[in-house]
Amino acid sequence: MLRGAPEGQATVVTRALSAASVLCQVEPVGRWFEAFVRRRNIHVSASFQELEDEKELSEESGDEELQLEEFPMLKTLDPKDWKNQDHYSVLGLGQLRYKASQKQIKAAHKAMVLKHHPDKRKAAGEQIGEGDNDYFTCITKAYETLSDPMKRRAFNSIDPTFDNTVPSKSEAKENFFEVFAPVFERNARWSNKKNVPKLGDMNSSFDEVDAFYSFWYNFDSWREFSYLDEEEKEKAECRDERRWIEKQNRAGRSLRKKEEMNRIRTLVDNSYSCDPRIKKFKEEERAKKEAEKKAKVEAKRKEQEEKERQRQAELEMVRLAKEKEEEEARQQTLLMKKEKDIQKKAIKKERQKLRTTCKIEQVNEQVRREKEEAEARMRQATKSSEKSTSGSVSGSKNWSEDDLQLLIKAVNLFPAGTNSRWEVIANYMNLHSTTGIKRMAKDVISKAKNLQKLDPHQKDDINKKAFDKFKKEHGVIPQADSATPSERFEVSFTDATPWTTEEQKLLEQALKTYPVNTPERWEKIAASVPGRSKKDCMKRYKELVEMVKAKKAAQEQVVNAAKTKK
């Protein structure tokens, strides 16, 4: 877009612009090339004309704004001690100092010459010192120092007005930024690197604070102390003396440079130790580490809990599998037991059927023969017993067959260990004997010993004879024969077969299992004793009750007799 015409003027179009612009490549020459090289070296993109305009404006503004400050002690300065003077103050640039441009230094020197030149003062009637003893020499030395860039740099390094103090830690407890910020800004002038980072404030980020302290801990200072050299090598008379002077000067500069770097390091250390942001960052870092540590501990705890849960799950699976195996084995055992019970019942039924098919005549014949043999053995046993007891005190008391059976029954009823066993047996026989003969304990003991000496076959004959007598008294008709006397006889209306030890145990267990108030008690008891009916179980129960009562009565009689004797 073209700029519009000023007020009172008109815009005239002479020719139309071309539709397409053409890009042309040009190269600077002459003073424009020099300006291009200068811009490239300082990384500036402004044009040469802009730089020239800016330079002229700055110079003009400098001339207009330059105001010299008269140094009140100028006329009292010692020309011989010019090195210790403040050159900026001598030229009247005390307010600008190191910021003064070369043009301003030149203009200040020109003004000072016009005012303080010896010839001008002499013409005004002022008395002038001879040679270099006049104070004008201080003005000349000041200009020589500040107009030379190297000498001016050396003087700026030891600027007498520069504040080298370092704040202590105690000074910045409450106002850290107000104390240290000006100090860092003041010392930033010595940095070789531009764009010196600022101290910042409480809201500065960690990266900004870290960059600030990294810069100052690695501070690259251009400050050097050659201006304070004690001797000038140009005044040396020979080369060796110049070398010696140069060596002394280097040592002094190195020492001052070291002190300067220690000062900067102390400044940074004091700032770092007092910086509240560092404390905040450390607390945040500590809290972060604690959070990470807690997170790790929590993760480890969860991992251990997960492992424990998996282990418990595995143990539970193993337990369930084991219980399943045990249950299967138990079911298998029950199944096998049921099969065995079924087989036993089937065998028993077959055996009963076999027994009922036997011929009654053969059974009766066999019973008759056994009866005769038993009677013969019994007679022989009786004769032997009478012979063995004929010489004893009780020899006059004959033992009948009933008394022998009663003695055997009493011995079985009152086993060894019963209190006053033989007296109880004698009383039991006296109560139940039908012969009316009174037996003493010693008679019972003697007869029991004789029976123990008998042949086992004779004992069996006595038992069989007693069993036959029981059948006759109760009208029992034998039906079958078997291997043992306890399983030999079965009848249709009752069962007079003696009870075996196994059957006796089953009956006692059933009586305990099914108490008196159990419905259909005797049917359940009979079912628990294979081969026995309800009537058999009830009859056996009554016999046991009678035997227990008789046993108790005999024991009580013995006790009463003992008490009577006392």
Side-chain angles (χ1 to χ4, degrees), residues 234-405:
E234 287 79 7
K235 296 181 180 180
E237 297 180 354
C238 62
R239 184 175 62 182
D240 293 337
E241 187 177 356
R242 283 197 301 272
R243 289 179 178 175
W244 183 84
I245 293 173
E246 182 64 25
K247 182 178 180 181
Q248 294 297 320
N249 291 337
R250 282 199 304 269
R253 295 173 195 170
S254 177
L255 179 62
R256 295 187 184 96
K257 185 72 173 180
K258 186 176 181 180
E259 292 175 353
E260 172 67 8
M261 297 312 298
N262 289 337
R263 185 184 70 84
I264 296 295
R265 184 58 182 258
T266 302
L267 170 64
V268 181
D269 288 342
N270 290 350
S271 174
Y272 188 86
S273 60
C274 298
D275 197 335
R277 298 170 299 179
I278 300 298
K279 297 178 181 179
K280 181 183 73 172
F281 295 148
K282 287 182 178 180
E283 290 176 358
E284 292 176 355
E285 183 68 19
R286 191 182 302 109
K288 183 179 178 181
K289 289 183 178 179
E290 288 292 333
E292 292 177 353
K293 185 177 180 181
K294 289 181 179 179
K296 289 181 180 179
V297 172
E298 184 67 18
K300 188 174 181 180
R301 184 184 64 79
K302 289 183 178 179
E303 183 180 358
Q304 291 178 351
E305 289 179 354
E306 182 65 20
K307 289 182 179 179
E308 182 65 20
R309 187 185 64 78
Q310 293 179 358
R311 189 179 69 85
Q312 293 294 338
E314 292 176 357
L315 292 175
E316 184 66 17
M317 291 176 63
V318 172
R319 186 183 66 79
L320 292 175
K322 187 176 180 180
E323 289 180 355
K324 185 178 180 181
E325 292 178 358
E326 292 177 353
E327 181 64 20
E328 292 177 354
R330 190 175 66 81
Q331 293 294 338
Q332 186 68 20
T333 303
L334 292 175
L335 183 61
M336 294 176 64
K337 186 177 181 181
K338 288 181 180 180
E339 292 179 354
K340 288 182 178 180
D341 292 340
I342 293 172
Q343 292 178 359
K344 287 181 179 180
K345 289 180 180 179
I347 292 172
K348 189 173 183 179
K349 288 181 180 180
E350 292 297 329
R351 185 178 294 173
Q352 290 177 353
K353 290 179 181 180
L354 181 61
R355 290 170 181 170
T356 56
T357 57
C358 293
K359 294 180 180 179
I360 297 176
E361 291 81 3
Q362 295 177 355
V363 174
N364 291 333
E365 182 65 23
Q366 181 68 21
V367 171
R368 186 182 61 78
R369 287 197 299 268
E370 291 180 356
K371 182 178 179 182
E372 291 177 354
E373 293 176 358
E375 290 177 351
R377 285 195 293 270
M378 181 60 71
R379 286 193 296 269
Q380 186 177 356
T382 303
K383 292 178 182 179
S384 300
S385 176
E386 291 176 355
K387 290 179 181 180
S388 61
T389 58
S390 58
S392 63
V393 178
S394 59
S396 59
K397 299 178 181 178
N398 295 326
W399 287 78
S400 64
E401 186 177 344
D402 293 336
D403 290 342
L404 291 175
Q405 295 298 325

Side-chain angles (χ1 to χ4, degrees), residues 12-109:
V12 180
V13 178
T14 57
R15 59 179 295 186
L17 294 174
S18 60
S21 60
V22 179
L23 179 64
C24 298
Q25 184 175 4
V26 295
E27 294 182 358
V29 294
R31 60 190 182 94
W32 291 278
F33 180 76
E34 183 181 2
F36 169 75
V37 172
R38 190 183 301 113
R39 291 197 309 272
R40 186 181 63 184
N41 291 339
I42 63 176
H43 303 287
V44 178
S45 60
S47 65
F48 174 81
Q49 188 62 36
E50 291 174 347
L51 292 174
E52 289 295 328
D53 295 341
E54 183 179 358
K55 183 176 180 182
E56 290 178 359
L57 289 173
S58 64
E59 289 178 354
E60 291 175 359
S61 62
D63 291 342
E64 293 176 356
E65 296 176 359
L66 181 60
Q67 296 179 357
L68 300 180
E69 294 181 355
E70 186 70 26
F71 185 48
M73 306 298 294
L74 177 62
K75 294 182 180 182
T76 61
L77 294 177
D78 185 5
K80 296 180 181 180
D81 193 25
W82 64 269
K83 198 169 186 178
N84 294 325
Q85 69 184 12
D86 184 359
H87 299 308
Y88 287 110
S89 297
V90 170
L91 294 180
L93 300 174
Q95 77 281 9
L96 295 177
R97 306 198 68 80
Y98 69 93
K99 296 181 181 180
S101 64
Q102 287 295 327
K103 189 171 183 177
Q104 290 173 335
I105 293 172
K106 187 176 181 181
H109 177 254

